[in-house]
Amino acid sequence: MSIADNIKNLKAEIERLNVRLVAVSKTKPVEDIEEAYAAGQRVFGENMVQEMAEKYEKLPKDIQWHQIGHLQTNKVKYIAPFVSLIESVDSLKLLQEINKQALKHNRVIDCLLQVYIADEETKFGLSFDEVIGLLRAEGFTEMKNVRIVGLMGIATNTESEKQIKNEFYELKTFFSGIKQSFFRKEASFRELSMGMSSDYKIAIEEGSTMVRLGSNIFGQRVIKHYKNQE
Ligand SMILES: *Cc1c(COP(=O)(O)O)cnc(C)c1O
């Protein structure tokens, strides 16, 4: 199946469930993104800042770019002018830097807090307690150029559907609690980004509003050994 077919089929499958598709195009060439774009896809996810910036330059400007991988503070400036959503905020320090860079460009950057839900040591993210700590931190409400619109999580890479389901369920429950406690009056806090190629169906059952699919659309990636980028 072609990239265009994959996009059409996946969009048809998930959009009727009110879930949005983020096409994860990391490591893939501009031509692949153009094919997906021609099939109607507008939201793309990348995890390397430089790669995203280069693709942004070459591709249509109505593409919404999502940062989905761990973001280093000193690299925020390269994507601040155009990034649509940073899905991987995992510290107050990073959020403060995003705020600072967004202010320079006179914009408000939407962000998700990445929550650690997997039973693995390699995944980035905040614990439930750390999310609450961040939202209560002094200075959080003073940041006017970032807007937290939801949470993101990556489930354990396991064959156990039960475990994946539990992890997504816990994140959804936590999301609801956070919305009640911190964002009751903010309709913009409504995104729960969970689900990748192998587990997106489970994620949608458990309340995902946004799935991040790469290999399902573009085929397998050549493995690169940037351990701390994924
Ligand atoms: C690479 C990546 C994806 C997409 O993974 P697939 O298994 O190819 O769908 C989703 N989310 C994050 C954070 C990623 O790094």
Side-chain angles (χ1 to χ4, degrees), residues 39 52 65 84 94 131 137 150 210 224:
M52 188 198 287
W65 293 99
S84 162
L94 176 59
V131 170
M210 198 185 272
K224 289 193 189 171

Side-chain angles (χ1 to χ4, degrees), residues 24 26 47 68 152 154 196-197 212-215 221 230:
V24 175
K26 61 188 184 193
N47 68 345
I68 57 165
M152 184 271 245
I154 304 174
M196 305 173 37
S197 290
R212 310 175 309 274
L213 307 185
S215 34
R221 287 177 297 276
E230 283 198 87

Side-chain angles (χ1 to χ4, degrees), residues 58-164:
K58 292 180 187 152
L59 285 155
K61 294 298 171 279
D62 63 337
I63 288 180
Q64 296 160 43
W65 293 99
H66 288 197
Q67 170 70 26
I68 57 165
H70 179 65
L71 178 57
Q72 285 172 288
T73 314
N74 61 354
K75 298 208 170 145
V76 175
K77 56 177 179 283
Y78 300 113
I79 58 171
F82 66 89
V83 71
S84 162
L85 178 66
I86 298 178
E87 297 204 19
S88 46
V89 173
D90 56 7
S91 72
L92 182 62
K93 187 171 141 251
L94 176 59
L95 199 59
Q96 285 165 329
E97 177 63 16
I98 297 167
N99 185 66
K100 186 176 135 194
Q101 296 297 334
L103 179 60
K104 278 190 192 165
H105 296 281
N106 197 23
R107 55 189 303 245
V108 175
I109 298 181
D110 284 347
C111 296
L112 305 179
L113 298 178
Q114 181 173 351
V115 187
Y116 180 90
I117 53 171
D119 186 17
E120 285 171 13
E121 300 216 335
T122 55
K123 300 270 154 84
F124 287 94
L126 299 155
S127 68
F128 289 169
D129 283 349
E130 286 168 336
V131 170
I132 293 166
L134 188 155
L135 295 172
R136 283 192 184 142
E138 225 179 296
F140 173 71
T141 48
E142 282 153 34
M143 287 187 273
K144 300 298 181 207
N145 292 75
V146 287
R147 183 171 74 161
I148 306 293
V149 299
L151 305 178
M152 184 271 245
I154 304 174
T156 304
N157 184 6
T158 169
E159 295 289 301
S160 168
E161 285 196 14
K162 186 157 169 272
Q163 181 176 353
I164 294 168

Side-chain angles (χ1 to χ4, degrees), residues 11 14 98 177-178 201:
K11 273 170 97 75
I14 69 166
I98 297 167
I178 290 294
K201 288 181 205 235

